[in-house]
């Protein structure tokens, strides 16, 4: 069984490569980065947001590598070779 790539891990490696000066004990110092990018970072809180219970947990879960793969069920497929549906793995 193969796992999907760990997107968060890849993104962090890229961030560390682009901005090594903001590494502090192996963690990214976001406050120092915000100070450095002060003209480019928006602190504006006035915007439309949609909040719901579990939203942040769902975001964290979505970033985790998956261990399962969806596979088509040949016996339940109807006109599988003639449809134009995409199968994304």
């Amino acid at each position: 069984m193969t796992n999907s790539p760990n997107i968060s891990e890849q993104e962090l490696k890229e961030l560390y490569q682009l901005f090594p000066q903001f590494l502090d004990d192996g963690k990214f110092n976001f406050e120092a980065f915000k100070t450095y990018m002060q003209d480019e970072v928006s602190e504006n809180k006035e915007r439309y947001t949609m909040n719901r219970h579990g939203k942040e947990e769902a975001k964290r879960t979505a970033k985790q590598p998956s261990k399962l793969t969806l596979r088509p069920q040949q016996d339940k497929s109807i006109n599988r070779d003639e449809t134009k549906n995409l199968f994304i793995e």
Side-chain angles (χ1 to χ4, degrees):
M1 178 177 4
T2 60
N3 291 344
S4 64
N6 187 334
I7 303 298
S8 296
E9 195 173 287
Q10 291 172 358
E11 290 173 342
L12 281 174
K13 284 181 184 177
E14 290 176 22
L15 190 63
Y16 295 163
Q17 288 174 351
L18 289 171
F19 302 102
Q21 68 270 33
F22 298 111
L23 281 179
D24 187 16
D25 291 328
K27 300 220 177 229
F28 192 76
N29 186 337
F30 189 68
E31 291 304 317
F33 181 72
K34 277 178 34 178
T35 302
Y36 175 74
M37 299 291 292
Q38 64 188 353
D39 294 335
E40 306 298 325
V41 176
S42 172
E43 295 284 340
N44 186 1
K45 301 287 183 190
E46 294 183 30
R47 59 183 170 188
Y48 177 79
T49 61
M50 181 178 269
N51 295 320
R52 67 181 188 285
H53 179 71
K55 184 176 178 180
E56 293 303 314
E57 179 65 25
K59 286 180 183 178
R60 283 191 295 276
T61 302
K63 287 184 173 183
Q64 293 177 351
S66 118
K67 296 178 182 171
L68 302 175
T69 302
L70 296 175
R71 302 222 185 262
Q73 295 180 337
Q74 303 290 347
D75 58 327
K76 294 184 179 181
S77 296
I78 300 171
N79 296 331
R80 182 176 174 268
D81 295 328
E82 296 171 16
T83 63
K84 298 200 180 190
N85 298 331
L86 291 176
F87 179 72
I88 301 172
E89 185 173 15

